[in-house]
Amino acid sequence: MTKEEALKTYFGYDDFRGGQEEIIDALLAGRDALAIMPTGAGKSLCYQIPALLLPGITLVISPLVSLMRDQVTQLVQMGVPAAYLNSSLTFQQYLLALSRAKEGRYKIIYVAPERLETEGFQSFAEAADISLVAVDEAHCISQWGQDFRPSYRNIPAFVERLQSRPPLGAFTATATPEVREDIEHLLSLRDPLRVTTGFDRENLYFEVQQPADKRAALLELVKSRPGKCGIVYCSTRKNVEEVCDFLRERGVAATRYHAGLEPEERQKNQEDFLYDRAQVMVATNAFGMGIDKSDVRYVIHYNMPKDLESYYQEAGRAGRDGEPSSCILLYSGQDVRTGEFLITHSEPREELDERTAAALRERDLQRLRQMTGYCRTRRCLRQYILHYFGEFAPDYCGGCCNCLHNFEEVDISREAQLIVRCVAELGQHFGVNLVAETLCGADTEKVRKFHLDREPSYGLLGELTQKQVRERIRFLLDEGILQLSPGEFPVVRLGDRAEDVAQNAPTLTMPVVKEERAPSIRRAPAELDGRQAELFERLRALRASIARRQGVPAYVVFSDKTLRELAATQPQTLAEFRAVSGVGTVKAERYGQAFLAEMDRFHRA
Ligand code: ADP
Ligand code: MG
Ligand code: ZN
């Protein structure tokens, strides 16, 4: 079997994505490889295809129980004999799996790094024919990375003890030079093929909001995406609990995940999310590394993360299937102060000397500043991210809020002067709306009631809309030139620099939306027409019932993308069915009849 045949037969895909072929070729030729590819780029396939083609067993070292289970479930669905060995198995189950492994019943075995040192596993590994060792999430070996796992440091010694040294493949989404060097050095890679693919994820839309009320903003975002599943990341356990309760009270099927929950609850909540029983997962960053649910349509950050590596990795869990998905960050100045506090007050790890600890702290602060820059920039957000990862990117992507709203800096010196004078004139008695109505010369009941149309300021900003005037007032509030009184009906008052602005009209510029452009996310899916959309829903229902019967998550049966293509092309024979992307041989045999029959019923109805 060739690698192309394996891709079609097992995975049902027609083409390799960027970087996959080179890595597969290197590993098949016995050469080590280091692959740096963003989340969702398809790293697993880079070791799974060699695993299928090489004569012996492939060991995949992976840091998380949930990750292993998910991947093994998917492989078994495709007809690949695979298993995992980790702490979620009882001792009996573990012994059974190990004895089957000794009989050569599995092509791919996922193993937790802690297992490598156990005697039972070592005696198995030393006797077995191991063709390849893949180290997934390889950045866990580096203390510079975000997820340092000391047990990863035992991998090279383990590999040395094997009969003959198999090729090593290391995979990560973390691109910083220190981490990359650590991986090469600490894993003792031998002249590895280094592949770094582009970090751009074209199907992701990026947005930053700075809402006055994060909860309201969150609810709006979730409610405007009915039936879509999403992850909401919060920075603390307490926030997770509060936000999850809040969403539930508002009728959203939300669940939660953080390290303070009992393992049983964590497990159950994660499954509720994977199996689509809960639409929204509210979680700390403890949730997600290796969560391969491919149909996550949005990732919302309720708090700003500590660095762009974390942000891009977490946000990247949206849209793994390549369908358009959103990554939205709800920013507030408080997030920056919390981040700084955590960095400067965290206990350094014991094994570090004072100088290293100080260097790590300085690096963390620097990263936090760059993360803050992302939240505040008016430039293209995608470009900002890609530059951070050392890639070239154009000024305009058309798929982020800054590109779509296209801000420009506008001189508002004169307008600011008129606004401040108006506030003074009105005796600092009125709210934002009435000030704007007065300046715009509006003829409303309240304006008449308070005789505001007799004020000298009345109508002085008649060339602007009330919305534009309100935006300028808000800007002056943000700048501290104006202030809002506390209380239920806040009124606009003069702030620190108000007098200077009223007298001298110093230069003031404000970012203003230039023009609205239509969203143009690249690779938008083919629109389904009404009838096709109806069929799509029918196929989703069928998929759900199959998944339920088998006890696996729906996306493991077929991705949304595959169902969409089925609804659009409506194959009538098994051969046509097999041609659809995401349909491999085993899945075609298992599910082909059921899906063809459903489409047939749909046409007759
Ligand atoms: P990573 O580990 O790099 O984050 P995964 O290995 O989980 O990414 O792959 C993400 C998704 O992309 C999976 O659903 C996978 O099936 C899909 N995928 C991988 N390679 C291809 C390909 N060549 N064509 C189509 N889909 C692919
Ligand atoms: Mg992965
Ligand atoms: Zn952009």
Side-chain angles (χ1 to χ4, degrees), residues 152-411:
Y152 262 59
R153 295 276 167 98
N154 300 318
I155 295 172
F158 166 79
V159 173
E160 285 308 317
R161 280 195 299 271
L162 297 177
Q163 273 178 23
S164 64
R165 183 188 181 280
L168 270 180
F171 300 86
T172 181
T174 307
T176 53
E178 301 106 319
V179 173
R180 189 165 34 198
E181 272 161 35
D182 262 6
I183 294 173
E184 283 201 42
H185 175 68
L186 296 170
L187 276 181
S188 310
L189 296 183
R190 295 182 190 166
D191 177 33
L193 172 78
R194 302 179 187 90
V195 174
T196 306
T197 63
F199 263 62
D200 190 15
R201 297 272 311 279
E202 293 188 348
N203 59 315
L204 298 185
Y205 164 79
F206 291 94
E207 178 171 330
V208 175
Q209 292 186 9
Q210 189 173 356
D213 182 349
K214 282 195 182 184
R215 286 185 175 202
L218 174 66
L219 189 64
E220 164 98 34
L221 288 169
V222 172
K223 289 271 182 179
S224 64
R225 292 167 169 78
K228 303 282 166 67
C229 66
I231 305 175
V232 177
Y233 278 110
C234 299
S235 60
T236 64
R237 297 174 186 183
K238 186 161 159 279
N239 269 352
V240 167
E241 311 252 322
E242 288 172 2
V243 168
C244 183
D245 287 347
F246 167 74
L247 288 175
R248 282 182 184 161
E249 279 162 21
R250 302 303 157 99
V252 177
T255 186
R256 58 186 188 170
Y257 190 103
H258 62 67
L261 299 174
E262 294 296 322
E264 296 77 38
E265 187 187 342
R266 277 211 306 266
Q267 176 80 20
K268 179 183 171 302
N269 294 353
Q270 175 170 328
E271 285 182 3
D272 283 348
F273 181 63
L274 291 181
Y275 291 73
D276 299 325
R277 292 189 289 264
Q279 188 203 338
V280 177
M281 170 59 89
V282 186
T284 59
N285 61 5
F287 179 73
M289 183 167 54
I291 297 294
D292 287 350
K293 186 171 171 56
S294 65
D295 59 353
V296 175
R297 289 280 77 88
Y298 59 90
V299 171
I300 298 173
H301 279 75
Y302 193 77
N303 301 107
M304 183 184 82
K306 62 189 188 344
D307 51 45
L308 265 169
E309 280 91 348
S310 311
Y311 181 64
Y312 202 50
Q313 195 157 57
E314 287 158 19
R317 292 182 184 126
R320 278 173 183 258
D321 54 9
E323 299 273 289
S325 307
S326 303
C327 308
I328 298 164
L329 196 161
L330 303 180
Y331 167 78
S332 77
Q334 183 58 42
D335 293 336
V336 184
R337 292 187 284 280
T338 308
E340 281 167 354
F341 181 87
L342 289 177
I343 293 167
T344 46
H345 289 74
S346 69
E347 283 291 316
R349 287 201 305 272
E350 273 174 20
E351 73 271 18
L352 297 181
D353 61 74
E354 187 51 43
R355 263 186 54 201
T356 316
L360 282 173
R361 217 169 20 243
E362 186 42 48
R363 178 211 59 178
D364 288 346
L365 284 171
Q366 175 62 19
R367 287 188 182 170
L368 183 72
R369 282 192 284 274
Q370 285 167 308
M371 182 74 237
T372 311
Y374 174 82
C375 297
R376 306 197 58 123
T377 185
R378 299 294 182 195
R379 290 183 6 226
C380 172
L381 293 176
R382 190 182 308 276
Q383 184 191 46
Y384 191 100
I385 293 172
L386 294 176
H387 279 182
Y388 182 81
F389 289 115
E391 268 185 44
F392 169 80
D395 295 338
Y396 179 83
C397 79
C400 78
C401 63
N402 288 351
C403 282
L404 294 184
H405 297 298
N406 220 5
F407 286 91
E408 61 183 352
E409 290 284 324
V410 170
D411 184 338

Side-chain angles (χ1 to χ4, degrees), residues 570-588:
Q570 308 190 359
Q572 298 187 350
T573 65
L574 259 185
E576 289 169 4
F577 187 77
R578 279 232 31 208
V580 171
S581 174
V583 182
T585 305
V586 171
K587 285 190 183 176

Side-chain angles (χ1 to χ4, degrees), residues 437-465:
E437 286 176 16
T438 306
L439 280 161
C440 288
D443 181 21
T444 64
E445 205 177 304
K446 278 199 172 158
V447 166
R448 285 193 298 272
K449 178 172 160 200
F450 296 111
H451 304 297
L452 299 178
D453 45 358
R454 297 184 200 158
E455 298 289 340
S457 288
Y458 185 73
L460 284 186
L461 285 179
E463 77 274 17
L464 298 180
T465 64

Side-chain angles (χ1 to χ4, degrees), residues 1-7 49 53:
M1 194 186 271
T2 64
K3 61 178 189 291
E4 288 83 8
E5 285 164 356
L7 182 70
I49 289 209
L53 300 179

